[in-house]
Amino acid sequence: LVWTVVWPLIQTFFKSNNKQESNESDESLLQDVLNDNALREVYKRFCASSLVVEPVCFYEDNCVFSNGTRTDNKRLVEEAKYMLNKYCTDMSPLQLNLPSREKLLAPIKEKLEQYEKQLKQMESEQQATNSERWVDAQLFHAIHLVCMNDMNTDTFVRFKVSKEYTRFLAEKK
């Protein structure tokens, strides 16, 4: 009974713990790759050759958008609308595969409408729109998480064992 029931349960527990540790280390490794400009370019070329470059491109654009030092709110609202059109509509050139797209985008669109109203009000009152940032730097955080998950479960799994990655690591040594 111990060997047929208990032992398999114990093994399952250890396997699931190891898998969780592996996923966490993969996420950390993916973040390291994305933070390294040269390695991110290698990964981006790999993704382009796999015809799945959209999440990496979104990641790059979102990094620029979410930079907290940017204070030109009018420009930020324009960039946010541009990013929605670039990645989140049916006619997007780099359409992301977003689960429950409308549900995911609704709060973003709602905030953008509020920002546009605020901009109009500020312009009518002749107030500066770039004194301090009030456009949420984390506006696209939910989409960012989807992209990170997509990369971590698809292209990055293949990239880690690719000749491009091993060649880059060998050249870097």
Side-chain angles (χ1 to χ4, degrees), residues 45-102:
R45 282 193 303 273
F46 177 84
C47 290
S49 70
S50 301
L51 304 176
V52 192
V53 73
E54 297 87 352
V56 182
C57 293
F58 176 83
Y59 173 86
E60 291 175 331
D61 286 348
N62 189 50
C63 284
V64 172
F65 177 83
S66 62
N67 180 336
T69 62
R70 300 181 63 209
T71 59
D72 187 346
N73 292 295
K74 185 175 183 175
R75 178 80 177 125
L76 288 164
V77 169
E78 290 170 2
E79 283 181 30
K81 291 190 307 189
Y82 173 77
M83 286 175 65
L84 278 178
N85 287 328
K86 184 176 180 181
Y87 296 107
C88 302
T89 65
D90 289 332
M91 301 305 292
S92 297
L94 294 170
Q95 183 182 12
L96 293 168
N97 183 17
L98 300 173
S100 307
R101 181 171 48 169
E102 291 309 314

